[in-house]
Amino acid sequence: MRSIWLQENKWKDIETYLQKKKTIIVPFGSVEQHSAHLPLGTDSFVAKRLAEDAGKLTNTLVAPQSWVGWAPHHMAYPGTITLRPETLTALVEDICQSLIYHGFEKIIIINGHREANLPPIKIATARLRNTTGAFLPIVDPFYFNFEKGKELRQSEPGGIGHAEEMESSHMFFLYPELCDPSKVAKNIPEKHRFFQHDPFVEGDRILNSSDVYTYKEDTKGIGIMGDATDASSLIGEQYHKKFLENLVELIDYCENEVIVNLRNRNIPL
Ligand SMILES: [Zn+2]
């Protein structure tokens, strides 16, 4: 294997890899506004680096990055690109089905567009799991590395949401050249307790989809939900390190403990 990126290898390298290993990582993300201090590609950049670094640590192949996700509410700000959810479901299904056809059995999906991409991705993985028997764990920073995030966060309850402390810290560490820390902001709106958006705050809540008409207002015309004023590269470094440890453990679990018998290996048609 010349590179952990599938697309940088020759087909013979993939044939050899599959004789020894059945796991591959597939990063998905989003191109959407991330306030004034983070680039539009934040969710995709984060997924890409997590995949790349975990791939290098474990010699695990990474499939080509998919940049765009499902982000209709972020269309409130220019530059955002959104797929229809059906398109994202189809994209995940076709990429994974192609990989399964070749004999990949364990496909680790990294979703950088926290939470928001999950409904279309979960539809795709449920279909693939049922038709092919493949194991398709979804890694999402809202759920994965949760303990470390909870330990590291500095902001008050409501401080974690979009373009906030954890996401900003992660980006300040990974891609400082694309960030502008002088533009960090804070926006923690007073809301009924059922509308809590902070994943680290316990309580009863409802799930209410954001919409493009009110999102600009909700994010104060800047694009932030939460508090990025405590973000730092140091927090991002610790967060990334633990995230990678967890990913290495998941890759090891996939390779050594998950037993898969593939069936119905079809070409997407
Ligand atoms: Zn994001």
Side-chain angles (χ1 to χ4, degrees):
M1 198 165 73
R2 287 162 178 78
S3 157
I4 53 103
W5 287 105
L6 178 135
Q7 65 271 24
E8 294 180 3
N9 287 276
K10 315 287 189 296
W11 72 263
K12 280 275 182 194
D13 302 320
I14 309 304
E15 188 179 63
T16 307
Y17 178 91
L18 278 165
Q19 283 160 8
K20 303 190 296 272
K21 203 162 172 171
K22 306 289 185 190
T23 302
I24 188 164
I25 306 168
V26 192
F28 289 88
S30 182
V31 174
E32 67 187 40
Q33 72 81 20
H34 269 78
S35 196
H37 62 290
L38 300 178
L40 287 143
T42 288
D43 296 352
S44 295
F45 282 123
V46 162
K48 179 174 180 279
R49 268 298 286 280
L50 286 167
E52 193 171 51
D53 290 355
K56 282 179 182 164
L57 282 171
T58 56
N59 276 320
T60 305
L61 272 175
V62 181
Q65 167 87 23
S66 295
W67 282 91
V68 184
W70 184 37
H73 50 300
H74 290 291
M75 292 296 284
Y77 294 88
T80 300
I81 299 174
T82 187
L83 300 177
R84 283 167 286 159
E86 294 83 359
T87 310
L88 180 56
T89 299
L91 186 68
V92 175
E93 267 190 281
D94 290 359
I95 290 171
C96 295
Q97 204 176 324
S98 300
L99 295 169
I100 292 164
Y101 181 80
H102 296 304
F104 288 98
E105 296 176 346
K106 299 103 189 240
I107 301 177
I108 299 173
I109 292 174
I110 299 183
N111 172 40
H113 186 21
R114 305 175 302 170
E115 255 290 319
N117 266 350
L118 285 184
I121 293 179
K122 281 167 81 176
I123 291 169
T125 57
R127 283 183 186 150
L128 290 160
R129 176 92 178 130
N130 279 280
T131 52
T132 69
F135 182 62
L136 301 117
I138 304 167
V139 170
D140 184 303
F142 254 29
Y143 302 99
F144 204 71
N145 211 32
F146 184 87
E147 293 297 330
K148 195 66 183 174
K150 194 173 181 179
E151 177 197 316
L152 288 171
R153 69 146 330 141
Q154 311 276 316
S155 57
E156 65 189 90
I160 306 295
H162 181 74
E164 33 54 22
E165 179 189 355
M166 293 311 300
E167 196 165 37
S168 302
S169 295
H170 206 181
M171 281 299 286
F172 290 175
F173 171 62
L174 295 177
Y175 299 94
E177 70 282 8
L178 299 178
C179 304
D180 186 352
S182 71
K183 299 255 179 9
V184 291
K186 177 180 177 179
N187 169 35
I188 304 179
E190 284 286 328
K191 282 186 174 176
H192 191 282
R193 66 185 180 93
F194 292 160
F195 292 89
Q196 179 57 254
H197 59 263
D198 189 328
F200 302 112
V201 176
E202 286 181 24
D204 300 320
R205 67 185 72 194
I206 58 164
L207 298 177
N208 180 44
S209 297
S210 300
D211 71 279
V212 71
Y213 305 104
T214 56
Y215 195 71
K216 203 158 192 169
E217 207 176 300
D218 287 348
T219 53
K220 297 285 182 285
I222 319 165
I224 187 169
M225 182 65 74
D227 185 2
T229 56
D230 284 325
S232 76
S233 162
L234 198 66
I235 292 174
E237 184 176 11
Q238 295 173 70
Y239 182 73
H240 190 69
K241 192 166 162 257
K242 184 63 187 175
F243 208 117
L244 286 180
E245 276 175 40
N246 281 325
L247 269 177
V248 169
E249 187 179 335
L250 175 64
I251 292 164
D252 185 63
Y253 171 77
C254 286
E255 275 298 292
N256 299 310
E257 295 189 52
V258 179
I259 296 163
V260 167
N261 291 306
L262 287 184
R263 54 182 183 267
N264 303 321
R265 286 161 59 178
N266 297 319
I267 295 169
L269 291 169

